[in-house]
Amino acid sequence: MKDMKFEYLIEGGDFVRAGHASSEVKKVLNQLNLDPVIVRRIAVAMYEGEVNVVAHAYRGIIRVKINPERISITIQDEGPGIADIDKAMQEGYSTASDRVREMGFGAGMGLANMKKNSDQLLISSEINKGTVVEMTTYMKSKQ
Ligand SMILES: Nc1ncnc2c1ncn2[C@@H]1O[C@H](COP(=O)(O)OP(=O)(O)OP(=O)(O)O)[C@@H](O)[C@H]1O
Ligand SMILES: [Mg+2]
């Protein structure tokens, strides 16, 4: 099987569409006869990354690559960047604006959830340029 590849453009501030890309990927994964627990973990991790672009960045692109061994999700955004990644990873740490909090986000749990729900999480960031988040999860099919 060749790798399946998908790309999604994410617009900062667009809370109406937030979560669309991750639900599309979830649909694809649900058709591949994978362990539903793995599908759920991937969908949660991607959703949090997608919402972070909407909540904290100007725009971004999500690239998803699926093959029988693994799924890799790369989220690259243009935005303010993250000054202290270790601090940002801590549960409860958030710089979310009032607007973002009004939308129900800003608990400071997203990055911790991404870490919990993926097998590998790599983050690199440059202040005033943007952030790249790479998540990898290994597949194990049901039977
Ligand atoms: N793509 C990003 N660009 C810039 N800053 C980010 C990005 N993703 C996360 N951050 C920073 O890391 C902090 C923690 O992110 P995290 O996702 O854990 O929490 P949150 O988005 O603030 O709230 P929650 O995800 O619980 O709704 C954010 O408040 C923000 O300061
Ligand atoms: Mg978040």
Side-chain angles (χ1 to χ4, degrees):
M1 179 187 134
K2 272 178 68 180
D3 288 358
M4 295 171 78
K5 289 181 182 172
F6 302 91
E7 263 187 31
Y8 303 91
L9 296 176
I10 311 299
E11 202 52 49
D14 188 354
F15 285 98
V16 173
R17 212 171 155 75
H20 179 79
S22 38
S23 75
E24 288 296 303
V25 169
K26 191 175 184 184
K27 280 184 212 159
V28 170
L29 295 174
N30 274 327
Q31 289 171 3
L32 295 178
N33 195 37
L34 300 164
D35 181 343
V37 173
I38 293 181
V39 173
R40 196 169 174 282
R41 291 179 79 221
I42 295 165
V44 166
M46 179 167 164
Y47 174 79
E48 293 290 358
E50 181 180 357
V51 171
N52 276 354
V53 175
V54 175
H56 305 296
Y58 313 136
R59 65 191 66 81
I61 181 158
I62 304 183
R63 294 187 177 86
V64 179
K65 200 171 83 179
I66 302 169
N67 69 39
E69 278 105 60
R70 71 182 76 104
I71 175 168
S72 64
I73 299 170
T74 304
I75 306 173
Q76 182 168 16
D77 72 49
E78 293 168 38
I82 303 174
D84 184 338
I85 293 170
D86 288 338
K87 196 165 158 189
M89 293 291 306
Q90 286 171 20
E91 294 187 5
Y93 176 84
S94 177
T95 62
S97 64
D98 290 346
R99 176 168 182 258
V100 169
R101 288 173 197 275
E102 276 164 22
M103 299 303 298
F105 301 99
M109 294 303 293
L111 289 171
N113 265 334
M114 286 154 74
K115 173 109 186 144
K116 270 186 218 149
N117 286 286
S118 58
D119 294 334
Q120 189 183 55
L121 171 68
L122 298 171
I123 302 174
S124 57
S125 192
E126 213 178 313
I127 292 301
N128 293 327
K129 281 202 91 172
T131 301
V132 182
V133 173
E134 291 177 76
M135 293 183 286
T136 305
T137 297
Y138 296 93
M139 312 285 206
K140 253 188 318 170
S141 78
K142 260 192 288 189
Q143 57 273 352

